[in-house]
Amino acid sequence: MVPRSSNVLEEWGIMKTSDDIPSSFDDETSFVEVELTCPRSAINSELNFTGNGFGFKKFETCALGDLKLSPSSPILLHSHGGGFVIGGVRDLCAYLAYSLTTTQQVKEKNGIILLSVNYRLAPENPFPACVIDCISVADFVIKNFSKSDLHISGFSAGGNLASVVGMEIVRKFPGKLKSIVAINPCVNPRSKSISIHMNWVSSYTCPGKWFVWLWAAYLQLGEFHDYNSFIEKLQEHDLFKELGDEKSTKSNILRMIQPQMDLPIKELRSNLAPKIFVINGTADPLCNDGEELVDCLINKQVTNVKSYHLFGSHGCCLFFDFIAFRKFNKAWSEVVWQ
């Protein structure tokens, strides 16, 4: 568990006043749950084991701050997928991210420490509840495990959160973050891209109507059964009617939804900038979302970004295109274990 800071957006300089933050979500709990997965050698603390499961030993729930983590082990913060409305810390991509770096260097550095964030879900806890949770965890890890290299990853909605939180870390703690991995990220609420309309029905893992519903739930727009009504409501909403406008006066809020709107260009061009990896599926409705993020970075002369197109649809592409996946795996491993 990690303490939740309800004022973390203000503390990080994202919001000038808490009045701009929607208040209609549950903030009664004071902690954010995270699931820690790592080799036993990466924890220099006594643990009370409670049993075994899926090849892992389980230990009792505790405060993350009570654990002494090996400073030689890099920390990977992971945000699961599920469209901000479903999902959990044990999504397949969390363990997949953990397995990406199973090389000889892992043994030499006590392995990698995976922290998967169990952020709050919409519609009960809409935006920016999950952003607050993820930044709270990042803030805690940076301040309490300052000697460890930090990486951040996410799948789908988690790819959005990894991009959003990653860019905020770059702003506030230049040089601390070593890599950002966004897998099939959803970063455009308007859901009007060619890839979404081409795969509106054919993508069984994520049909088009699903994106309309999840964005409406996340942004408190109500329920919609057709795309045009959703877009009209999105454009009329006071908070989001400037969405997509680079001159928007609400860019500090909107970048927490659509990170490519307001990028920390100066920091991303520096020698201390993290490596950014974006994985897209060729038949994924969100393919153009990931491409939009990459294009915005490249157009701003950010050179430390790599894009990979894997054959297949949303999530499935990770298992269908092993050649492209291995290229990504090799490039990312070199960053993690450099």
Side-chain angles (χ1 to χ4, degrees), residues 170 174-175 264-274 304:
V170 170
I265 302 303
K266 180 180 177 180
E267 292 83 354
L268 289 174
R269 290 175 180 169
S270 76
N271 295 330
L272 299 176
N304 55 327

Side-chain angles (χ1 to χ4, degrees), residues 123 189-191 200 207-238 240:
R190 291 183 177 180
S191 305
W200 187 266
K209 289 184 178 180
W210 164 247
F211 293 108
V212 171
W213 185 85
L214 70 86
W215 277 116
Y218 184 51
L219 303 179
Q220 305 183 68
L221 299 177
E223 293 189 15
F224 300 91
H225 300 287
D226 65 278
Y227 174 78
N228 291 331
S229 297
F230 164 73
I231 291 298
E232 289 177 4
K233 185 65 175 180
L234 180 67
Q235 293 174 338
E236 292 173 358
H237 197 287
D238 290 340
F240 307 107

Side-chain angles (χ1 to χ4, degrees), residues 62-282:
C62 63
L64 183 61
D66 292 339
L67 297 178
K68 296 180 180 179
L69 303 181
S70 171
S72 66
S73 298
I75 294 177
L76 173 63
L77 294 183
H78 181 80
S79 297
H80 65 79
F84 307 106
V85 296
I86 60 174
V89 292
R90 296 184 182 181
D91 77 344
L92 185 59
C93 284
Y95 289 97
L96 185 60
Y98 175 72
S99 68
L100 290 178
T101 49
T102 52
T103 62
Q104 182 61 35
Q105 294 96 320
V106 176
K107 297 179 181 180
E108 296 173 358
K109 295 192 178 184
N110 290 323
I112 192 167
I113 297 170
L114 170 64
L115 294 177
S116 188
V117 184
N118 191 26
Y119 56 83
R120 290 170 293 174
L121 302 174
E124 293 82 2
N125 299 288
F127 171 82
C130 62
V131 178
I132 290 174
D133 290 353
C134 291
I135 292 183
S136 292
V137 174
D139 184 76
F140 182 87
V141 169
I142 291 171
K143 292 178 179 177
N144 288 271
F145 305 103
S146 58
K147 294 183 179 180
S148 300
D149 286 344
L150 182 63
H151 305 263
I152 191 166
S153 68
F155 164 65
S156 193
N160 175 295
L161 293 171
S163 302
V164 168
V165 178
M167 296 303 170
E168 297 307 324
I169 294 175
V170 170
R171 281 186 173 90
K172 187 169 178 62
F173 301 98
K176 179 58 183 176
L177 190 63
K178 304 305 179 184
S179 72
I180 300 172
V181 178
I183 305 171
N184 303 151
C186 55
V187 293
N188 192 338
R190 291 183 177 180
S191 305
K192 65 176 182 180
S193 67
I194 294 176
S195 63
I196 281 185
H197 288 293
M198 286 183 63
N199 300 284
W200 187 266
V201 178
S202 60
S203 176
Y204 293 101
T205 54
C206 274
K209 289 184 178 180
W210 164 247
F211 293 108
V212 171
W213 185 85
L214 70 86
W215 277 116
Y218 184 51
L219 303 179
Q220 305 183 68
L221 299 177
E223 293 189 15
F224 300 91
H225 300 287
D226 65 278
Y227 174 78
N228 291 331
S229 297
F230 164 73
I231 291 298
E232 289 177 4
K233 185 65 175 180
L234 180 67
Q235 293 174 338
E236 292 173 358
H237 197 287
D238 290 340
L239 185 59
F240 307 107
K241 61 185 178 183
E242 298 181 28
L243 199 60
D245 181 2
E246 293 187 354
K247 297 181 181 179
S248 170
T249 57
K250 298 187 176 76
S251 61
N252 58 334
I253 304 175
L254 299 180
R255 77 188 191 211
M256 292 187 289
I257 302 167
Q258 200 168 341
Q260 66 272 31
M261 281 195 58
D262 183 17
L263 296 166
I265 302 303
K266 180 180 177 180
E267 292 83 354
L268 289 174
R269 290 175 180 169
S270 76
N271 295 330
L272 299 176
K275 300 296 183 182
I276 302 172
F277 301 93
V278 180
I279 295 179
N280 300 306
T282 55

Side-chain angles (χ1 to χ4, degrees), residues 22-34:
S23 58
S24 57
F25 60 84
D26 174 26
D27 195 28
E28 294 181 358
T29 56
S30 58
F31 290 92
V32 182
E33 293 183 357
V34 296

